[in-house]
Amino acid sequence: MNILFLAAEAEPYIKVGGLADVAGSLPPAIQQVAGAENVDIRVILPFHGALQRQSLAMHFVTQVQLRHYPQPVEADVYQLEHTDITTYLINGALLSPEAPVYTSDTGVDGIKYTFFSLAALEFCKSIQWKPDIIHANDWHTAPALYAIDVFADPFFSQSGKVITVHNLPYLGHGAAEALSVFGLPPATNSTLPVWAQQLPLPVGLYAADKIVAVSPTYAQEILTPDFGAGLDSYLVTRRADICGILNGIDYRLWDPENDPVLPYPYGIEQLSLKVKNKIKILQDFSLPAHADVILIGMITRMDYQKGVDLAIKALRSISDQPWLAFILGTGSPVLEQAVIQLHHELPDKVQAVIRFDPTLSHQIYAAADLLLIPSRYEPCGLTQMIAMKYGTLPLGRSTGGLKDTITDNHDPSISCGFLFENPAPDELAETLIRAIKTYQDHHAWKSMQINAMKQDFSWNQSALKYYQLYKEIYQYHHPLDKATRSNP
Ligand code: GLC
């Protein structure tokens, strides 16, 4: 089975958000669960400027030409060397070396990613490598699936199409023009709402055989008006094709026992060492080094989705309680400012570091007692799973993947975190107070930490589910194979 995996970003090469973690770790996990079965999974990424500035070992493979109006455009394909999974990079005049992975201008990104998606298909054809499954991720690569239907090239007539939705509201607004210059007309024959018929994600969903949401709860939520980004009625009609598969995390990268950037590595057996990481970070960042005051960590994109504003309001409202907080992240300038403001108001309680800093993020996971994730919606969320491995209890809103991974029965012997229902500062504040009280009961807290550290969110189960889904789609597109097998 040949699998073409398309994504805008992937670890360890280029990372902006959670998509990179998934695109970096899912393909090898699928390869692993396939074992001795013949699976050839290949990843293709755009040759972003940030990748061009790294000196990655690679070689030129070929150049392909794409239909584009008013004249065709060329794409150059490179292959990375020394990789476990075959990985290609696509470059071309439409991919500016100065451009970041994502800009705020979806018109510009639309051109880049439609170019990328179509070049990936053209490349497979030029090397005569027929994908049995084309797996797109989010709006950026969704045009590849739609193009298969529109161009009806016999080369791809048996290719199955899967799309994973990591974040539904990012539909690719503003990219309609981009689709049309590459010869992709609006999907007027579809039952998509008219406004969505020329947007990348909707047309990709329309073309996909199967739609995967990154957690079972999110798969249900996107069928409702609150989470459906205007597509809920359409998605309800596709209910039979939608499933939720929880993301996994790569424990080779997230293991407090073998984490090279921790001052004091620790595991479940040496949990008492965890507090040394806490004291170190409090001292390094000029917070009072109170080992017995709960340290609340927040590692996040500063985004409305992530409920940063809710966290600020809730923390401010309980400033008379014993807690310390460490907030790390970048994003919306308004939210960045609001976090800095909170630090100025409560300099002895709150530290805020406004930057993208993977090393510091590992150190906060290790140092914090509680990780705050008050997301308004959370398709999956990886931070809560990482936190649990580090014995840091997650406090999240009961939505999407947070609901699927955080067990909160209000009983420390069987819980591993704290959940609240509605995205309201007072509910969050109440739950914070519940966590602070639990923290003061050492026995209860430790029992929850151990429950959390014992959870298994590795890719094994989820990669198997993806593989089974691929097989199902494969059989659908190869009915003759099935007949041959049942009637030898
Ligand atoms: C997006 C979602 C996040 C998910 C990640 C990987 O960033 O917001 O919830 O974990 O994609 O699927």
Side-chain angles (χ1 to χ4, degrees), residues 80-115:
L80 286 175
E81 276 155 34
H82 323 299
T83 57
D84 294 338
I85 297 288
T86 309
T87 306
Y88 302 102
L89 301 173
I90 290 184
N91 205 359
L94 296 182
L95 233 136
S96 152
E98 280 80 46
V101 176
Y102 310 114
T103 67
S104 50
D105 185 340
T106 16
V108 171
D109 285 6
I111 297 281
K112 170 164 90 177
Y113 285 112
T114 309
F115 162 75

Side-chain angles (χ1 to χ4, degrees), residues 9 11 14-22 102 301 356 382:
E9 45 171 318
E11 285 268 52
I14 181 113
K15 172 171 159 118
V16 178
L19 171 60
D21 298 87
V22 176
Y102 310 114
R301 259 189 293 125
F356 180 74
L382 304 169

Side-chain angles (χ1 to χ4, degrees), residues 347-358:
D348 290 338
K349 285 180 107 70
V350 179
Q351 187 50 272
V353 176
I354 308 297
R355 58 172 188 250
F356 180 74
D357 187 335

Side-chain angles (χ1 to χ4, degrees), residues 17-19 22 166-167 214 247 301 305-306 378-382:
L19 171 60
V22 176
H166 299 262
N167 204 328
V214 287
N247 288 331
R301 259 189 293 125
Q305 173 196 347
K306 300 290 181 181
E378 196 60 77
C380 179
L382 304 169

Side-chain angles (χ1 to χ4, degrees), residues 45-83:
L45 303 170
F47 200 175
H48 297 292
L51 282 170
Q52 295 175 23
R53 289 185 285 278
Q54 301 172 24
S55 27
L56 295 165
M58 67 182 72
H59 62 268
F60 174 76
V61 184
T62 189
Q63 186 175 74
V64 295
Q65 203 178 56
L66 311 185
R67 83 184 76 192
H68 172 269
Y69 301 97
Q71 67 257 352
V73 288
E74 262 100 48
D76 294 326
V77 187
Y78 297 83
Q79 181 175 352
L80 286 175
E81 276 155 34
H82 323 299
T83 57

